[in-house]
Amino acid sequence: MEGTIAGIYDIGCFLGAILAFMTADRLGRKGSISVGSWIMVVGTILQTSATERVQMIVSRTVTGIGNGMNTVNVPIWQAESFKSHNRGAMLIIQSALIALGHPLSTFMGLASRQAEPSSFGWRWPIAFQGVFLVAILLGLPFLPESPRWLLQHGRIEEATEVFAHLGGKDITIDDPKILAERDEVIASVEEEKRLGQASWGEVFTEGPNRNISRVLLGAGPYMFNQWSGINSLAYFLPVTFERNIGLSTELSLIIAGVLGVQYFFVSWLPYFFIEKVGRRQMLMWSSAACSFCMVMIAIMLKVNTIVTQWIFVAFCFIFFDVFSLGILPVSWMYASEIMPLRTRNKGVALGVSSHWLSNFVVVFVTPRAINNLKYKLYIIWAVLNASFVPITWLWYPETARRSLEDMDEVFRHERFGLTKTRSPGTRTREGGDGIAGRNDPELEIYQHEGKTA
């Protein structure tokens, strides 16, 4: 039952991700996030007031639907708003805040155990998520809409103002860089309008824009995230410490909380180098390191002495650290960076839905796997992590320091197979995101070769 109650939330998130494509293009990124947040408010109230398991299951599903919608729309909104030279660094903030949820929930669970036995002990941590939802709903009206969404809906003046606002303190709407950036997006929008409204059938066909290739590549990092085994540890870390090495519940919660704090602080480090190193290198090195940690965790559990039990704990710490340096941030940004504007909402929705469906499977089977497979479970995670390295090297083009329109050009010239776009682009703050800011050797190779879509 613990696996069902924990995992049903992910089913809700899966449904929310699928529903998100119905709202994002019509309501805008901000409007869709607002709807998702209000659904979460309703789900939170229902969870907090639950008196039966059925109500808890239904309410967790409702909350998940709202969260699933937001996990589609937030990365799209961010990717469409940030500048290409620091888009990855800005998106690191999102992944770091995801990591913050781990120690926060763990220490709230520890605090609940210290209270007098009553339903309040589990109700108040659930209700506390409402604080963040209120902050989102109060802050949304003061934030700009996605300029690309505005241009897609013919609101050129508003989009130009947003581009200028995002460009910096002294940037005006007449700045040549802003006009070049706007005109490049307009050209992309006009081309997509010429092709007509994108259907679901188009999303699942290749075509000149390589739609199905982008959907599969975008879903990959989301699935890497889950099939790395991170939530096999994160959801049940205190339980893992209790059942595998016999620690007390309180000590397990304390260690899990300290691990979460370290996880949060380490997750900020990619902010300083993600644009220079690139998504591909970070994803490959992180996957390799995660695989090594899982191998060591399996060995320590197999040997099972007092010393190896604490080495197991140490490698849990290291696993979370190396995961946060690559798989975590890249998984939440990559799909929104490679999807064309025409099918971006549908493509990202499919990627996020694969994430939450994988999350459900992992969370549902983990309690049984811990009891039945023991150390062998971590060998499975090690093999999966190792497989991510060649997959990334072979098929994943680099998105760092390339505009979303640059990636359209990459996919128009590359066909499904070995990618040639393996290094970060050359967009800079000085050059901007307009056509004038482009000086990308790998894109110039395509133009020199005279390839066409």
Side-chain angles (χ1 to χ4, degrees), residues 359-417:
N359 197 349
F360 168 76
V361 174
V362 170
V363 171
F364 185 77
V365 304
T366 290
R368 297 171 179 82
I370 290 175
N371 289 330
N372 298 326
L373 296 179
K374 301 188 185 318
Y375 76 92
K376 296 176 184 177
L377 171 64
Y378 304 98
I379 295 176
I380 295 173
W381 300 137
V383 172
L384 288 171
N385 277 289
S387 72
F388 303 156
V389 178
I391 291 172
T392 301
W393 190 88
L394 288 170
W395 289 299
Y396 279 80
E398 182 56 68
T399 63
R401 287 188 283 161
R402 290 191 172 92
S403 71
L404 304 185
E405 290 67 40
D406 286 343
M407 294 310 300
D408 287 339
E409 187 165 343
V410 167
F411 279 98
R412 278 195 294 268
H413 290 90
E414 288 192 354
R415 288 292 173 256
F416 189 80

Short mmCIF file of all heavy atoms in Angstrom, two decimals, residues 359-417:
data_model
loop_
_atom_site.label_atom_id
_atom_site.label_comp_id
_atom_site.label_asym_id
_atom_site.label_seq_id
_atom_site.Cartn_x
_atom_site.Cartn_y
_atom_site.Cartn_z
N ASN A 359 8.48 7.32 -13.23
CA ASN A 359 8.55 7.58 -11.79
C ASN A 359 7.58 6.67 -11.05
O ASN A 359 7.92 6.08 -10.01
CB ASN A 359 8.20 9.05 -11.52
CG ASN A 359 8.64 9.51 -10.14
OD1 ASN A 359 9.02 8.71 -9.30
ND2 ASN A 359 8.57 10.79 -9.90
N PHE A 360 6.36 6.52 -11.58
CA PHE A 360 5.38 5.65 -10.94
C PHE A 360 5.88 4.21 -10.86
O PHE A 360 5.78 3.56 -9.82
CB PHE A 360 4.05 5.69 -11.70
CG PHE A 360 3.09 4.63 -11.27
CD1 PHE A 360 2.40 4.75 -10.07
CD2 PHE A 360 2.89 3.49 -12.04
CE1 PHE A 360 1.52 3.76 -9.66
CE2 PHE A 360 2.02 2.50 -11.64
CZ PHE A 360 1.33 2.63 -10.44
N VAL A 361 6.41 3.72 -11.98
CA VAL A 361 6.88 2.33 -12.00
C VAL A 361 7.99 2.13 -10.97
O VAL A 361 7.98 1.16 -10.20
CB VAL A 361 7.38 1.95 -13.41
CG1 VAL A 361 8.01 0.56 -13.40
CG2 VAL A 361 6.23 2.00 -14.41
N VAL A 362 8.95 3.07 -10.94
CA VAL A 362 10.07 2.95 -10.01
C VAL A 362 9.59 2.97 -8.56
O VAL A 362 9.98 2.12 -7.73
CB VAL A 362 11.10 4.08 -10.25
CG1 VAL A 362 12.14 4.12 -9.13
CG2 VAL A 362 11.78 3.89 -11.60
N VAL A 363 8.73 3.93 -8.24
CA VAL A 363 8.25 4.07 -6.86
C VAL A 363 7.38 2.88 -6.46
O VAL A 363 7.43 2.41 -5.32
CB VAL A 363 7.49 5.40 -6.70
CG1 VAL A 363 6.80 5.47 -5.35
CG2 VAL A 363 8.44 6.57 -6.87
N PHE A 364 6.59 2.39 -7.40
CA PHE A 364 5.68 1.28 -7.09
C PHE A 364 6.44 -0.01 -6.78
O PHE A 364 6.07 -0.76 -5.88
CB PHE A 364 4.71 1.07 -8.26
CG PHE A 364 3.66 0.03 -7.98
CD1 PHE A 364 2.57 0.33 -7.18
CD2 PHE A 364 3.76 -1.24 -8.53
CE1 PHE A 364 1.59 -0.62 -6.93
CE2 PHE A 364 2.80 -2.20 -8.29
CZ PHE A 364 1.70 -1.89 -7.48
N VAL A 365 7.51 -0.28 -7.54
CA VAL A 365 8.21 -1.56 -7.38
C VAL A 365 9.32 -1.51 -6.33
O VAL A 365 9.76 -2.56 -5.85
CB VAL A 365 8.80 -2.04 -8.72
CG1 VAL A 365 7.72 -2.15 -9.77
CG2 VAL A 365 9.94 -1.14 -9.19
N THR A 366 9.77 -0.30 -5.97
CA THR A 366 10.94 -0.20 -5.08
C THR A 366 10.74 -0.89 -3.73
O THR A 366 11.64 -1.63 -3.28
CB THR A 366 11.34 1.27 -4.88
OG1 THR A 366 11.90 1.76 -6.10
CG2 THR A 366 12.39 1.41 -3.78
N PRO A 367 9.63 -0.69 -3.00
CA PRO A 367 9.51 -1.38 -1.71
C PRO A 367 9.66 -2.89 -1.83
O PRO A 367 10.31 -3.53 -0.99
CB PRO A 367 8.10 -0.98 -1.23
CG PRO A 367 7.82 0.31 -1.91
CD PRO A 367 8.47 0.18 -3.26
N ARG A 368 9.06 -3.48 -2.87
CA ARG A 368 9.17 -4.93 -3.07
C ARG A 368 10.59 -5.31 -3.48
O ARG A 368 11.13 -6.34 -3.05
CB ARG A 368 8.18 -5.38 -4.14
CG ARG A 368 6.73 -5.15 -3.77
CD ARG A 368 5.81 -5.41 -4.97
NE ARG A 368 4.41 -5.21 -4.63
CZ ARG A 368 3.81 -4.02 -4.60
NH1 ARG A 368 4.51 -2.93 -4.87
NH2 ARG A 368 2.54 -3.91 -4.29
N ALA A 369 11.20 -4.47 -4.34
CA ALA A 369 12.55 -4.77 -4.82
C ALA A 369 13.57 -4.73 -3.69
O ALA A 369 14.50 -5.54 -3.64
CB ALA A 369 12.94 -3.79 -5.93
N ILE A 370 13.41 -3.77 -2.77
CA ILE A 370 14.34 -3.68 -1.64
C ILE A 370 14.28 -4.96 -0.81
O ILE A 370 15.31 -5.49 -0.39
CB ILE A 370 14.00 -2.46 -0.76
CG1 ILE A 370 14.34 -1.15 -1.51
CG2 ILE A 370 14.77 -2.51 0.56
CD1 ILE A 370 13.91 0.09 -0.76
N ASN A 371 13.07 -5.48 -0.60
CA ASN A 371 12.90 -6.69 0.20
C ASN A 371 13.35 -7.95 -0.52
O ASN A 371 13.95 -8.85 0.08
CB ASN A 371 11.44 -6.85 0.61
CG ASN A 371 11.01 -5.82 1.64
OD1 ASN A 371 11.83 -5.36 2.44
ND2 ASN A 371 9.74 -5.43 1.61
N ASN A 372 13.08 -8.01 -1.84
CA ASN A 372 13.32 -9.27 -2.57
C ASN A 372 14.66 -9.32 -3.29
O ASN A 372 15.33 -10.36 -3.30
CB ASN A 372 12.18 -9.49 -3.57
CG ASN A 372 10.83 -9.63 -2.90
OD1 ASN A 372 10.73 -10.17 -1.80
ND2 ASN A 372 9.78 -9.14 -3.54
N LEU A 373 15.06 -8.23 -3.92
CA LEU A 373 16.31 -8.24 -4.68
C LEU A 373 17.52 -7.82 -3.86
O LEU A 373 18.65 -8.20 -4.17
CB LEU A 373 16.18 -7.30 -5.90
CG LEU A 373 15.14 -7.69 -6.95
CD1 LEU A 373 15.11 -6.67 -8.07
CD2 LEU A 373 15.45 -9.08 -7.51
N LYS A 374 17.28 -6.98 -2.87
CA LYS A 374 18.35 -6.45 -2.02
C LYS A 374 19.44 -5.81 -2.88
O LYS A 374 19.15 -4.91 -3.66
CB LYS A 374 18.88 -7.55 -1.10
CG LYS A 374 17.81 -8.15 -0.19
CD LYS A 374 18.37 -9.06 0.83
CE LYS A 374 17.31 -9.76 1.66
NZ LYS A 374 16.17 -8.98 2.10
N TYR A 375 20.69 -6.25 -2.78
CA TYR A 375 21.79 -5.58 -3.47
C TYR A 375 21.67 -5.67 -5.00
O TYR A 375 22.19 -4.82 -5.73
CB TYR A 375 23.14 -6.15 -3.02
CG TYR A 375 23.48 -7.50 -3.61
CD1 TYR A 375 24.21 -7.60 -4.79
CD2 TYR A 375 23.05 -8.69 -3.00
CE1 TYR A 375 24.52 -8.83 -5.34
CE2 TYR A 375 23.35 -9.92 -3.55
CZ TYR A 375 24.09 -10.00 -4.71
OH TYR A 375 24.38 -11.21 -5.26
N LYS A 376 20.98 -6.68 -5.50
CA LYS A 376 20.85 -6.86 -6.95
C LYS A 376 20.08 -5.72 -7.61
O LYS A 376 20.28 -5.43 -8.79
CB LYS A 376 20.16 -8.20 -7.24
CG LYS A 376 20.96 -9.42 -6.79
CD LYS A 376 20.17 -10.70 -7.01
CE LYS A 376 20.92 -11.91 -6.47
NZ LYS A 376 20.13 -13.16 -6.62
N LEU A 377 19.21 -5.06 -6.83
CA LEU A 377 18.47 -3.92 -7.37
C LEU A 377 19.43 -2.85 -7.88
O LEU A 377 19.21 -2.25 -8.94
CB LEU A 377 17.55 -3.34 -6.28
CG LEU A 377 16.86 -2.01 -6.60
CD1 LEU A 377 15.91 -2.17 -7.77
CD2 LEU A 377 16.13 -1.48 -5.37
N TYR A 378 20.52 -2.63 -7.14
CA TYR A 378 21.44 -1.55 -7.48
C TYR A 378 22.35 -1.92 -8.65
O TYR A 378 22.87 -1.04 -9.34
CB TYR A 378 22.25 -1.17 -6.23
CG TYR A 378 21.31 -0.80 -5.10
CD1 TYR A 378 20.97 -1.73 -4.11
CD2 TYR A 378 20.71 0.45 -5.06
CE1 TYR A 378 20.07 -1.41 -3.11
CE2 TYR A 378 19.82 0.79 -4.06
CZ TYR A 378 19.50 -0.14 -3.09
OH TYR A 378 18.59 0.17 -2.11
N ILE A 379 22.50 -3.21 -8.92
CA ILE A 379 23.21 -3.64 -10.13
C ILE A 379 22.40 -3.28 -11.36
O ILE A 379 22.94 -2.83 -12.38
CB ILE A 379 23.48 -5.16 -10.08
CG1 ILE A 379 24.44 -5.49 -8.93
CG2 ILE A 379 24.05 -5.64 -11.41
CD1 ILE A 379 24.69 -6.98 -8.75
N ILE A 380 21.07 -3.43 -11.26
CA ILE A 380 20.20 -3.04 -12.37
C ILE A 380 20.36 -1.55 -12.66
O ILE A 380 20.51 -1.14 -13.82
CB ILE A 380 18.73 -3.38 -12.03
CG1 ILE A 380 18.55 -4.89 -11.92
CG2 ILE A 380 17.79 -2.80 -13.09
CD1 ILE A 380 17.18 -5.30 -11.43
N TRP A 381 20.35 -0.73 -11.61
CA TRP A 381 20.51 0.72 -11.81
C TRP A 381 21.89 1.03 -12.40
O TRP A 381 22.02 1.93 -13.24
CB TRP A 381 20.34 1.47 -10.49
CG TRP A 381 19.01 1.33 -9.81
CD1 TRP A 381 18.79 1.13 -8.47
CD2 TRP A 381 17.71 1.41 -10.40
NE1 TRP A 381 17.46 1.07 -8.20
CE2 TRP A 381 16.76 1.24 -9.37
CE3 TRP A 381 17.25 1.60 -11.70
CZ2 TRP A 381 15.39 1.27 -9.59
CZ3 TRP A 381 15.87 1.62 -11.94
CH2 TRP A 381 14.97 1.46 -10.89
N ALA A 382 22.91 0.31 -11.98
CA ALA A 382 24.27 0.55 -12.50
C ALA A 382 24.32 0.30 -14.00
O ALA A 382 24.92 1.09 -14.76
CB ALA A 382 25.27 -0.34 -11.77
N VAL A 383 23.72 -0.79 -14.46
CA VAL A 383 23.74 -1.13 -15.89
C VAL A 383 22.98 -0.07 -16.69
O VAL A 383 23.43 0.37 -17.76
CB VAL A 383 23.12 -2.52 -16.12
CG1 VAL A 383 22.94 -2.79 -17.61
CG2 VAL A 383 23.99 -3.60 -15.47
N LEU A 384 21.82 0.34 -16.17
CA LEU A 384 21.04 1.36 -16.88
C LEU A 384 21.80 2.67 -16.99
O LEU A 384 21.83 3.31 -18.05
CB LEU A 384 19.70 1.57 -16.16
CG LEU A 384 18.69 0.42 -16.30
CD1 LEU A 384 17.50 0.64 -15.38
CD2 LEU A 384 18.23 0.30 -17.75
N ASN A 385 22.43 3.11 -15.90
CA ASN A 385 23.21 4.35 -15.93
C ASN A 385 24.34 4.26 -16.94
O ASN A 385 24.61 5.22 -17.68
CB ASN A 385 23.77 4.66 -14.53
CG ASN A 385 22.77 5.37 -13.65
OD1 ASN A 385 22.45 6.53 -13.86
ND2 ASN A 385 22.27 4.66 -12.65
N ALA A 386 25.01 3.13 -16.98
CA ALA A 386 26.12 2.96 -17.93
C ALA A 386 25.63 3.06 -19.37
O ALA A 386 26.34 3.58 -20.24
CB ALA A 386 26.81 1.62 -17.69
N SER A 387 24.41 2.58 -19.64
CA SER A 387 23.89 2.62 -21.01
C SER A 387 23.60 4.04 -21.48
O SER A 387 23.57 4.29 -22.69
CB SER A 387 22.60 1.78 -21.09
OG SER A 387 21.52 2.42 -20.44
N PHE A 388 23.41 4.97 -20.55
CA PHE A 388 23.10 6.34 -20.95
C PHE A 388 24.29 7.02 -21.64
O PHE A 388 24.10 7.96 -22.41
CB PHE A 388 22.69 7.18 -19.74
CG PHE A 388 21.52 6.64 -18.96
CD1 PHE A 388 21.34 6.98 -17.62
CD2 PHE A 388 20.59 5.79 -19.56
CE1 PHE A 388 20.27 6.48 -16.90
CE2 PHE A 388 19.51 5.28 -18.83
CZ PHE A 388 19.36 5.64 -17.51
N VAL A 389 25.50 6.57 -21.33
CA VAL A 389 26.70 7.22 -21.88
C VAL A 389 26.78 7.06 -23.40
O VAL A 389 26.86 8.07 -24.12
CB VAL A 389 27.98 6.69 -21.20
CG1 VAL A 389 29.22 7.33 -21.81
CG2 VAL A 389 27.93 6.96 -19.69
N PRO A 390 26.78 5.84 -23.96
CA PRO A 390 26.84 5.73 -25.42
C PRO A 390 25.60 6.28 -26.12
O PRO A 390 25.70 6.83 -27.22
CB PRO A 390 26.98 4.22 -25.66
CG PRO A 390 26.45 3.58 -24.42
CD PRO A 390 26.80 4.51 -23.31
N ILE A 391 24.44 6.18 -25.48
CA ILE A 391 23.21 6.73 -26.07
C ILE A 391 23.36 8.23 -26.27
O ILE A 391 23.04 8.78 -27.34
CB ILE A 391 21.99 6.40 -25.19
CG1 ILE A 391 21.68 4.90 -25.23
CG2 ILE A 391 20.77 7.21 -25.64
CD1 ILE A 391 20.62 4.47 -24.25
N THR A 392 23.87 8.91 -25.23
CA THR A 392 24.05 10.36 -25.32
C THR A 392 25.09 10.72 -26.37
O THR A 392 24.89 11.63 -27.18
CB THR A 392 24.48 10.92 -23.94
OG1 THR A 392 23.48 10.60 -22.97
CG2 THR A 392 24.65 12.44 -24.00
N TRP A 393 26.21 10.03 -26.38
CA TRP A 393 27.29 10.36 -27.32
C TRP A 393 26.84 10.18 -28.76
O TRP A 393 27.17 10.98 -29.64
CB TRP A 393 28.51 9.49 -27.05
CG TRP A 393 29.71 9.96 -27.83
CD1 TRP A 393 30.63 10.88 -27.46
CD2 TRP A 393 30.09 9.51 -29.14
NE1 TRP A 393 31.57 11.05 -28.46
CE2 TRP A 393 31.26 10.23 -29.51
CE3 TRP A 393 29.56 8.58 -30.05
CZ2 TRP A 393 31.90 10.04 -30.72
CZ3 TRP A 393 30.20 8.40 -31.27
CH2 TRP A 393 31.36 9.11 -31.59
N LEU A 394 26.05 9.15 -29.02
CA LEU A 394 25.67 8.83 -30.39
C LEU A 394 24.60 9.76 -30.95
O LEU A 394 24.70 10.21 -32.10
CB LEU A 394 25.16 7.39 -30.47
CG LEU A 394 26.21 6.28 -30.33
CD1 LEU A 394 25.53 4.93 -30.17
CD2 LEU A 394 27.14 6.26 -31.53
N TRP A 395 23.58 10.07 -30.17
CA TRP A 395 22.37 10.67 -30.75
C TRP A 395 22.02 12.07 -30.27
O TRP A 395 21.17 12.72 -30.88
CB TRP A 395 21.18 9.75 -30.49
CG TRP A 395 21.26 8.51 -31.33
CD1 TRP A 395 21.28 8.42 -32.69
CD2 TRP A 395 21.33 7.16 -30.85
NE1 TRP A 395 21.37 7.11 -33.09
CE2 TRP A 395 21.40 6.31 -31.98
CE3 TRP A 395 21.35 6.58 -29.58
CZ2 TRP A 395 21.48 4.93 -31.88
CZ3 TRP A 395 21.43 5.20 -29.47
CH2 TRP A 395 21.50 4.39 -30.62
N TYR A 396 22.63 12.56 -29.22
CA TYR A 396 22.16 13.81 -28.63
C TYR A 396 22.97 15.02 -29.08
O TYR A 396 24.14 15.16 -28.71
CB TYR A 396 22.15 13.72 -27.10
CG TYR A 396 20.93 12.99 -26.61
CD1 TYR A 396 20.87 11.60 -26.62
CD2 TYR A 396 19.82 13.69 -26.18
CE1 TYR A 396 19.73 10.93 -26.22
CE2 TYR A 396 18.67 13.03 -25.77
CZ TYR A 396 18.63 11.65 -25.79
OH TYR A 396 17.49 10.99 -25.38
N PRO A 397 22.39 15.93 -29.88
CA PRO A 397 23.12 17.15 -30.27
C PRO A 397 23.24 18.12 -29.10
O PRO A 397 22.38 18.14 -28.21
CB PRO A 397 22.25 17.73 -31.39
CG PRO A 397 20.88 17.19 -31.14
CD PRO A 397 21.08 15.83 -30.53
N GLU A 398 24.29 18.90 -29.11
CA GLU A 398 24.54 19.88 -28.04
C GLU A 398 23.64 21.10 -28.23
O GLU A 398 23.51 21.62 -29.33
CB GLU A 398 26.01 20.29 -28.04
CG GLU A 398 26.39 21.26 -26.94
CD GLU A 398 26.05 20.71 -25.57
OE1 GLU A 398 26.69 19.73 -25.16
OE2 GLU A 398 25.13 21.27 -24.93
N THR A 399 23.02 21.56 -27.14
CA THR A 399 22.14 22.73 -27.19
C THR A 399 22.73 23.96 -26.51
O THR A 399 22.19 25.06 -26.66
CB THR A 399 20.80 22.41 -26.50
OG1 THR A 399 21.03 22.12 -25.11
CG2 THR A 399 20.11 21.22 -27.15
N ALA A 400 23.81 23.79 -25.76
CA ALA A 400 24.37 24.91 -24.99
C ALA A 400 24.78 26.05 -25.91
O ALA A 400 25.37 25.85 -26.96
CB ALA A 400 25.59 24.44 -24.19
N ARG A 401 24.42 27.27 -25.51
CA ARG A 401 24.76 28.50 -26.23
C ARG A 401 24.24 28.49 -27.67
O ARG A 401 24.86 29.05 -28.57
CB ARG A 401 26.26 28.79 -26.17
CG ARG A 401 26.72 29.26 -24.79
CD ARG A 401 28.14 29.72 -24.80
NE ARG A 401 29.07 28.60 -24.83
CZ ARG A 401 30.33 28.69 -25.20
NH1 ARG A 401 30.82 29.83 -25.64
NH2 ARG A 401 31.11 27.62 -25.17
N ARG A 402 23.10 27.85 -27.87
CA ARG A 402 22.39 27.92 -29.14
C ARG A 402 20.96 28.36 -28.86
O ARG A 402 20.34 27.89 -27.91
CB ARG A 402 22.40 26.56 -29.87
CG ARG A 402 23.76 26.17 -30.40
CD ARG A 402 23.71 24.97 -31.35
NE ARG A 402 25.02 24.77 -31.96
CZ ARG A 402 25.97 23.97 -31.46
NH1 ARG A 402 25.74 23.28 -30.36
NH2 ARG A 402 27.14 23.88 -32.06
N SER A 403 20.44 29.23 -29.71
CA SER A 403 19.06 29.66 -29.55
C SER A 403 18.13 28.51 -29.96
O SER A 403 18.55 27.54 -30.60
CB SER A 403 18.77 30.89 -30.41
OG SER A 403 18.74 30.54 -31.79
N LEU A 404 16.86 28.63 -29.60
CA LEU A 404 15.90 27.60 -29.97
C LEU A 404 15.77 27.52 -31.49
O LEU A 404 15.53 26.44 -32.04
CB LEU A 404 14.54 27.91 -29.33
CG LEU A 404 14.54 28.08 -27.80
CD1 LEU A 404 13.12 28.26 -27.29
CD2 LEU A 404 15.21 26.91 -27.11
N GLU A 405 15.95 28.65 -32.17
CA GLU A 405 15.90 28.67 -33.63
C GLU A 405 17.15 28.03 -34.23
O GLU A 405 17.09 27.41 -35.30
CB GLU A 405 15.73 30.10 -34.14
CG GLU A 405 14.36 30.71 -33.86
CD GLU A 405 14.09 30.94 -32.38
OE1 GLU A 405 15.02 31.38 -31.66
OE2 GLU A 405 12.95 30.69 -31.94
N ASP A 406 18.30 28.14 -33.55
CA ASP A 406 19.51 27.44 -34.00
C ASP A 406 19.27 25.93 -34.00
O ASP A 406 19.70 25.21 -34.91
CB ASP A 406 20.69 27.74 -33.07
CG ASP A 406 21.26 29.13 -33.27
OD1 ASP A 406 20.97 29.74 -34.31
OD2 ASP A 406 22.00 29.59 -32.38
N MET A 407 18.57 25.44 -32.96
CA MET A 407 18.33 24.00 -32.87
C MET A 407 17.39 23.53 -33.98
O MET A 407 17.50 22.40 -34.45
CB MET A 407 17.76 23.64 -31.49
CG MET A 407 18.74 23.88 -30.34
SD MET A 407 20.38 23.16 -30.63
CE MET A 407 19.99 21.42 -30.82
N ASP A 408 16.48 24.40 -34.41
CA ASP A 408 15.65 24.05 -35.57
C ASP A 408 16.54 23.79 -36.78
O ASP A 408 16.32 22.84 -37.54
CB ASP A 408 14.68 25.19 -35.89
CG ASP A 408 13.55 25.29 -34.88
OD1 ASP A 408 13.28 24.28 -34.20
OD2 ASP A 408 12.93 26.36 -34.78
N GLU A 409 17.56 24.63 -36.96
CA GLU A 409 18.47 24.46 -38.10
C GLU A 409 19.28 23.18 -37.96
O GLU A 409 19.51 22.47 -38.95
CB GLU A 409 19.40 25.67 -38.21
CG GLU A 409 20.25 25.65 -39.46
CD GLU A 409 20.90 26.98 -39.76
OE1 GLU A 409 20.46 28.01 -39.20
OE2 GLU A 409 21.85 26.99 -40.56
N VAL A 410 19.72 22.87 -36.74
CA VAL A 410 20.46 21.63 -36.51
C VAL A 410 19.63 20.43 -36.95
O VAL A 410 20.10 19.54 -37.68
CB VAL A 410 20.86 21.49 -35.02
CG1 VAL A 410 21.35 20.07 -34.73
CG2 VAL A 410 21.94 22.50 -34.65
N PHE A 411 18.38 20.38 -36.52
CA PHE A 411 17.55 19.21 -36.82
C PHE A 411 17.09 19.18 -38.27
O PHE A 411 16.81 18.10 -38.80
CB PHE A 411 16.35 19.17 -35.87
CG PHE A 411 16.67 18.59 -34.52
CD1 PHE A 411 16.94 19.42 -33.45
CD2 PHE A 411 16.75 17.23 -34.34
CE1 PHE A 411 17.25 18.90 -32.20
CE2 PHE A 411 17.06 16.69 -33.10
CZ PHE A 411 17.33 17.52 -32.03
N ARG A 412 17.02 20.32 -38.91
CA ARG A 412 16.67 20.30 -40.32
C ARG A 412 17.78 19.71 -41.18
O ARG A 412 17.53 19.18 -42.26
CB ARG A 412 16.34 21.72 -40.81
CG ARG A 412 14.93 22.18 -40.49
CD ARG A 412 14.55 23.41 -41.29
NE ARG A 412 15.33 24.57 -40.92
CZ ARG A 412 14.97 25.46 -39.99
NH1 ARG A 412 13.82 25.28 -39.35
NH2 ARG A 412 15.72 26.50 -39.71
N HIS A 413 19.02 19.78 -40.69
CA HIS A 413 20.15 19.33 -41.49
C HIS A 413 20.70 17.97 -41.05
O HIS A 413 21.37 17.30 -41.83
CB HIS A 413 21.28 20.36 -41.47
CG HIS A 413 20.94 21.61 -42.22
ND1 HIS A 413 20.33 22.69 -41.64
CD2 HIS A 413 21.09 21.93 -43.54
CE1 HIS A 413 20.14 23.63 -42.55
NE2 HIS A 413 20.59 23.21 -43.70
N GLU A 414 20.44 17.58 -39.81
CA GLU A 414 20.86 16.25 -39.36
C GLU A 414 19.71 15.28 -39.52
O GLU A 414 18.55 15.62 -39.30
CB GLU A 414 21.29 16.28 -37.88
CG GLU A 414 22.61 16.96 -37.64
CD GLU A 414 23.14 16.70 -36.23
OE1 GLU A 414 22.41 16.08 -35.43
OE2 GLU A 414 24.26 17.10 -35.96
N ARG A 415 20.02 14.07 -39.90
CA ARG A 415 19.03 13.03 -39.95
C ARG A 415 19.24 12.08 -38.78
O ARG A 415 20.29 12.09 -38.14
CB ARG A 415 19.12 12.27 -41.28
CG ARG A 415 18.61 13.11 -42.45
CD ARG A 415 17.10 13.34 -42.33
NE ARG A 415 16.60 14.27 -43.34
CZ ARG A 415 16.28 15.52 -43.10
NH1 ARG A 415 16.45 16.02 -41.90
NH2 ARG A 415 15.80 16.28 -44.07
N PHE A 416 18.23 11.27 -38.49
CA PHE A 416 18.33 10.38 -37.33
C PHE A 416 19.55 9.47 -37.46
O PHE A 416 19.74 8.79 -38.45
CB PHE A 416 17.07 9.52 -37.21
CG PHE A 416 17.01 8.76 -35.92
CD1 PHE A 416 16.61 9.39 -34.76
CD2 PHE A 416 17.39 7.43 -35.85
CE1 PHE A 416 16.55 8.70 -33.56
CE2 PHE A 416 17.33 6.73 -34.65
CZ PHE A 416 16.91 7.37 -33.51
N GLY A 417 20.40 9.50 -36.47
CA GLY A 417 21.64 8.75 -36.49
C GLY A 417 22.69 9.48 -35.69
O GLY A 417 22.38 10.21 -34.75
#
